[in-house]
Amino acid sequence: MSAAPIYQQLWAKSDRKTGQTHPLICHLLDVAHVMLALWNEVLTDSMRAQFATTLQMDRDTTGQLLGFWAALHDLGKASPAFQRQVAAQERLLSDQGLNFPKVFSQEYSPHGIISAWALERLLQSETGLPPRPAKRIALALGGHHGAWPAPGATVRLKQDALGDSAWDDVRREILHVLIDVLQPPALTGWVTDRSDENTFITLFSGLTSVADWIGSMEEYFPYVSPPIDLVHYAEQAVIQAHAALTTLGWTGWQPPQTALRFEELFPAISHPNAMQEAIVDLAGKLSGPALVLIEAPTGTGKTEAALFLADTWAHAEQQRGLYVAMPTMATSNQMHGRVADALCLRYGSDAVKPLLVHSQARWMTEAPPPALTSDDEREGASTRSMAWFLPRKRSLLAPFGVGTVDQSLLSVLQTRHFFVRLFGLSHKTVIFDEVHAYDTYMSTLFQRLLTWLRAVDASVVLLSATLPEQTRRELVKAYAGDALDVPADYPAITWATSGQTGVIPLPITESRTLRLGWITRDADEIVARLAEALREGGCAAVICNTVARAQEVYRAVSAAALVGPEDVTLFHARTPFAWREQIEREVLSRFGKAGQRPHKAIVIATQVIEQSLDLDFDVMISDLAPVDLLLQRVGRLHRHARASRPAPLTVPLLWVAVDAGAEFPEFGNDAYVYEPYVLLRTSLTLQDRDHLTLPQDTAGLIGAVYSDGGDESLSPAWQEKLAAARRKMQRDDEEAVFDARNRLILPPNDERLLAGANADLEEDSPAINAAFQALTRLGEPGISLVCLHEVGGDLNTEPDGAGQRVVLTHMPDAELTGHLARHTVSVAHRGVFNHFQAQEPPQKWGKHPLLRDHRVVIFRDGLYTSPDTRYTLRLSREFGLEVLKE
């Protein structure tokens, strides 16, 4: 057998256990053919058209060129900096005449940056690319490990990392070998619009990263040894790429070729209502990416209207699927089932299933990550890359996903692989529910996300009970580039495309009046009001603004024995997921539309039941909250038509709990949850009312709270109180906007997009300073605690020993990992966070892609104490996790 040419002896991947290596040229061909398979078998016509239009080429030649470019991503591995990592390879290459200069600097020289450095020159000299596209493509390829090379990074590379002219020659030879095998077409044009160029580079970067990940899977692309017949190898790579995509489930869905009527998609709805009919009519008129904002009362079928839009656009625009972004995990759990049912009806089987995406969903049915070979020189990179093939991150790549809004917001934060998330959202319909619940920080992120979604040709549906006028204008402008000039009287549908906006007023088909009263926050008074309201039966909800208060109220209600213990429920998020999921199912089964409704029952909850959960109560007591959220909460009152309700509760009843101070309301810890200014304005707006008529009063109430002015009739003391609270809110808003902008990527029309530094914000680790975290929400930092119990000398995930036995010195397998995560609680209490942040996770967990940022808390008889903290943790199924101070 003849000796292999030197370029075939360069390695790209290595098995540290066996010492076997995989040739660089083979890995480059692997990735090229994965890219081509993605292009031909996975991407939709709409996405192929966007790439082709940008490059001013036809579909087939665009795919060929992208495949060739993708092959070049790891050219920087043809360098002393990378090749010297395997000592045997260094000796072999040295014997072949490649010099390894003495290293005078310990400065890290990533191969991605070396790729960018080499390609900027080679793409010009060897393929004829003009300077600008050559630089842009080089940067895109150099960023395949998650971040484009920072400004000046290629200039700072040392000669001992790059090598001498012999290394230049071998890099040039590799490029020409790839040209010979792949036969790429020549680029004949380049986009002049800056936004289009940046969008192309962003999507190409995401697509290249995905191709590289799949092309790095040993299961599909096994190691080979030189010499290699590259023509034969390329033929095999085509087959292996197809097999990989098929096995991984990438080729199982394409956009529908036929449209369905609303009644066909939702046979349970005999006839669409006025709002849904308006959406059906609008869907037939909108072409191209669009934004549709539906503002209508809760329970009017907004979700079905949004799913109809998504299905219509999937057919008409050949979109890549759907992502539904919910405000909380609980709401995304319920929505997941609704979307799954709709998809099953649409496609005739359960073969198309939406992934569930939030911080706990990754544990629910997750198999172990596929075998990825890390080629990143840094310690821990393998763990980080493997995490991208877990549902929480790959979900945006799947055709259909349901999860929290946080996963979509991460696509515009300066995180590694943000462009993969944007690629995952591109050419889809993205539905955002309860958008009125976003605070200033989230709204700032959200507006940037809307701008990018328009750039990547995603359509957007926003669902809300109602929005302040200014917020509506900002959202439309963020997506369409123009502010809305036509006011939208509630209820209404607002729509926008590039350069066009419009409003469709909706008729008020049904109104309802609810009684409104005020009580103090005292738990005993809450008990008394519940006893009075439920004297003839009925179902009540008590919504508290904090977990600690919900636990306090629950304790008082339970002690009063107003109902049997089985009919009083505490529902909040500070509960291990396995237990909380069971509570959620029970609440939905009893108080949902088709639930087995008890004669008399009480649910004490936090905001987990405020949004999107389809629950129905006869009476509600709510802590004072901003008026739009109060209106959202009362959407759980008399939500469904029922044949009979207890006589005292035939008219829905809301009691608002707030403590009246000497002159002004007192908010206590609620002032850390909601802005005092908004709470004060809400209190003033509602204080003289004894009833509300909805939806007629909705817009007026929100306008009164969120618009300026109207304070002249108040006493000087009240005016000063409001003015001081407003100044504080403005400071808070300015800080929130500043924090958000420091974390955001630049908009698509910004020339500096590729030149700006990526802060590499950490998505998961709570142990680093908040300034370096990819926060999607502001607030106290949280930490994930795996709750274990000491049972008979062992550790177990359940306090009675009925769960899984855990040995902290062992690496958990996939099954145990799922159990551990389902018994995890996220805690944002400052004292608890500081205590556990100072600890280390079990040693084996540090290399686990899911557990590496978790801490362990061990309960003995339900209690955790430590001399290092003044807080005691108490955990029970009844109360969840309680934080008790000495």
Side-chain angles (χ1 to χ4, degrees), residues 528-818:
R529 296 292 184 176
L530 289 172
E532 173 191 350
L534 302 180
R535 63 183 183 274
E536 296 184 24
C539 298
V542 182
I543 302 183
C544 303
N545 291 338
T546 65
V547 172
R549 174 157 163 77
Q551 291 168 330
E552 172 196 359
V553 172
Y554 172 81
R555 184 172 279 107
V557 172
S558 296
L562 301 179
V563 296
E566 71 280 2
D567 287 321
V568 58
T569 303
L570 177 62
F571 185 15
H572 60 78
R574 206 164 69 196
T575 303
F577 184 74
W579 301 354
R580 185 168 81 249
E581 185 183 33
Q582 181 179 345
I583 295 170
E584 181 184 322
R585 285 198 301 265
E586 291 174 355
V587 168
L588 287 167
S589 70
R590 306 188 84 195
F591 306 103
K593 186 173 185 178
Q596 299 300 311
R597 194 174 179 82
H599 170 66
K600 184 190 293 188
I602 302 169
V603 175
I604 294 100
T606 56
Q607 295 90 335
V608 292
I609 68 169
E610 176 181 287
Q611 299 162 355
S612 296
L613 290 184
D614 190 12
L615 303 175
D616 176 24
F617 297 96
D618 302 305
V619 60
M620 178 179 291
I621 297 175
S622 171
D623 286 347
L624 181 67
V627 66
D628 46 335
L629 300 185
L630 276 180
L631 294 174
Q632 185 68 23
R633 293 177 184 185
V634 299
R636 316 304 142 204
L637 277 176
H638 288 220
R639 185 178 180 92
H640 301 303
R642 298 194 178 276
S644 63
R645 294 184 189 267
L649 300 174
T650 53
V651 177
L653 172 60
L654 169 69
W655 294 100
V656 179
V658 61
D659 288 333
E663 190 171 2
F664 312 108
E666 294 181 354
F667 305 131
N669 288 334
D670 289 0
Y672 297 102
V673 181
Y674 303 116
E675 277 291 349
Y677 175 76
V678 179
L679 294 177
L680 287 168
R681 290 294 295 260
T682 298
S683 176
L684 284 170
T685 300
L686 297 177
Q687 65 181 1
D688 295 328
R689 290 176 173 265
D690 60 8
H691 71 279
L692 300 175
T693 302
L694 304 176
Q696 287 89 336
D697 291 344
T698 299
L701 293 173
I702 290 178
V705 170
Y706 287 100
S707 60
D708 296 334
D711 302 333
E712 295 80 6
S713 62
L714 300 174
S715 68
W718 255 105
Q719 292 188 45
E720 176 52 35
K721 180 73 172 179
L722 283 172
R726 181 174 175 78
R727 288 192 295 270
K728 174 192 175 297
M729 183 181 71
Q730 289 173 332
R731 290 193 301 271
D732 291 345
D733 286 349
E734 290 170 359
E735 291 177 4
V737 171
F738 179 80
D739 286 344
R741 289 177 176 171
N742 278 345
R743 291 180 169 89
L744 283 167
I745 63 171
L746 293 169
N749 63 353
D750 198 306
E751 172 71 22
R752 302 165 297 163
L753 179 67
L754 270 72
N758 185 326
D760 195 11
L761 300 174
E762 177 58 53
E763 298 176 38
D764 303 306
S765 176
I768 62 173
N769 187 284
F772 303 104
Q773 293 185 31
L775 301 177
T776 55
R777 307 173 192 236
L778 287 184
E780 290 293 329
I783 193 165
S784 295
L785 302 180
V786 178
C787 300
L788 301 180
H789 306 267
E790 193 174 85
V791 182
D794 290 331
L795 296 180
N796 200 284
T797 55
E798 290 288 346
D800 60 359
Q804 292 287 310
R805 180 174 175 267
V806 180
V807 179
L808 294 179
T809 55
H810 294 175
M811 174 69 85
D813 59 18
E815 181 182 1
L816 179 57
T817 297

Side-chain angles (χ1 to χ4, degrees), residues 340-602:
D341 290 344
L343 292 177
C344 182
L345 282 170
R346 176 57 164 117
Y347 297 103
S349 72
D350 61 356
V352 177
K353 294 181 179 179
L355 285 175
L356 180 60
V357 197
H358 54 61
S359 61
Q360 289 295 332
R362 53 183 159 167
W363 315 94
M364 296 172 69
T365 57
E366 179 56 24
L372 281 178
T373 300
S374 173
D375 57 15
D376 199 325
E377 298 92 331
R378 295 170 301 159
E379 183 66 28
S382 178
T383 299
R384 200 171 190 179
S385 296
M386 287 166 64
W388 265 95
F389 276 81
L390 302 172
R392 186 166 59 102
K393 295 187 176 182
R394 78 160 185 260
S395 60
L396 300 188
L397 299 173
F400 300 99
V402 179
T404 57
V405 65
D406 306 77
Q407 298 306 316
S408 60
L409 291 175
L410 284 168
S411 64
V412 290
L413 293 176
Q414 296 178 42
T415 60
R416 278 188 170 264
H417 294 115
F418 74 86
F419 40 67
V420 175
R421 279 193 167 95
L422 283 173
F423 164 71
L425 290 172
S426 66
H427 294 266
K428 288 181 177 175
T429 294
V430 188
I431 299 172
F432 296 93
D433 201 4
E434 313 291 2
V435 296
H436 56 268
Y438 302 166
D439 60 16
T440 300
Y441 179 83
M442 285 185 68
S443 294
T444 305
L445 303 184
F446 186 54
Q447 290 172 36
R448 181 62 51 82
L449 174 61
L450 289 177
T451 301
W452 268 103
L453 288 177
R454 175 60 191 88
V456 299
D457 282 359
S459 290
V460 173
V461 184
L462 308 179
L463 307 180
S464 177
T466 188
L467 288 172
E469 180 67 27
Q470 181 61 29
T471 302
R472 185 185 305 108
R473 289 176 177 272
E474 290 170 348
L475 297 180
V476 170
K477 184 176 182 180
Y479 184 86
D482 296 306
L484 184 69
D485 295 327
V486 182
D489 294 330
Y490 183 82
I493 298 169
T494 302
W495 59 270
T497 59
S498 291
Q500 285 189 305
T501 58
V503 173
I504 303 171
L506 297 174
I508 297 175
T509 57
E510 182 178 351
S511 66
R512 61 183 183 137
T513 298
L514 61 89
R515 292 175 290 161
L516 174 64
W518 297 84
I519 62 174
T520 70
R521 289 164 52 90
D522 181 72
D524 290 337
E525 182 170 1
I526 291 175
V527 169
R529 296 292 184 176
L530 289 172
E532 173 191 350
L534 302 180
R535 63 183 183 274
E536 296 184 24
C539 298
V542 182
I543 302 183
C544 303
N545 291 338
T546 65
V547 172
R549 174 157 163 77
Q551 291 168 330
E552 172 196 359
V553 172
Y554 172 81
R555 184 172 279 107
V557 172
S558 296
L562 301 179
V563 296
E566 71 280 2
D567 287 321
V568 58
T569 303
L570 177 62
F571 185 15
H572 60 78
R574 206 164 69 196
T575 303
F577 184 74
W579 301 354
R580 185 168 81 249
E581 185 183 33
Q582 181 179 345
I583 295 170
E584 181 184 322
R585 285 198 301 265
E586 291 174 355
V587 168
L588 287 167
S589 70
R590 306 188 84 195
F591 306 103
K593 186 173 185 178
Q596 299 300 311
R597 194 174 179 82
H599 170 66
K600 184 190 293 188
I602 302 169

Side-chain angles (χ1 to χ4, degrees), residues 39-56:
W39 178 263
N40 291 316
E41 302 178 46
V42 176
L43 300 191
T44 59
D45 288 342
S46 62
M47 190 163 204
R48 286 188 285 256
Q50 185 175 17
F51 278 115
T53 299
T54 304
L55 295 182
Q56 303 170 25

Side-chain angles (χ1 to χ4, degrees), residues 1-5 7-8 23 25-26 29-30 33 177 181 224-237 240:
M1 182 179 293
S2 60
Y7 76 85
Q8 290 192 9
I25 189 64
C26 293
L29 289 171
D30 294 339
H33 287 291
V177 167
V181 175
V224 297
S225 300
I228 302 135
D229 180 339
L230 291 182
V231 173
H232 176 71
Y233 185 88
E235 293 170 349
Q236 287 299 115
Q240 289 167 295

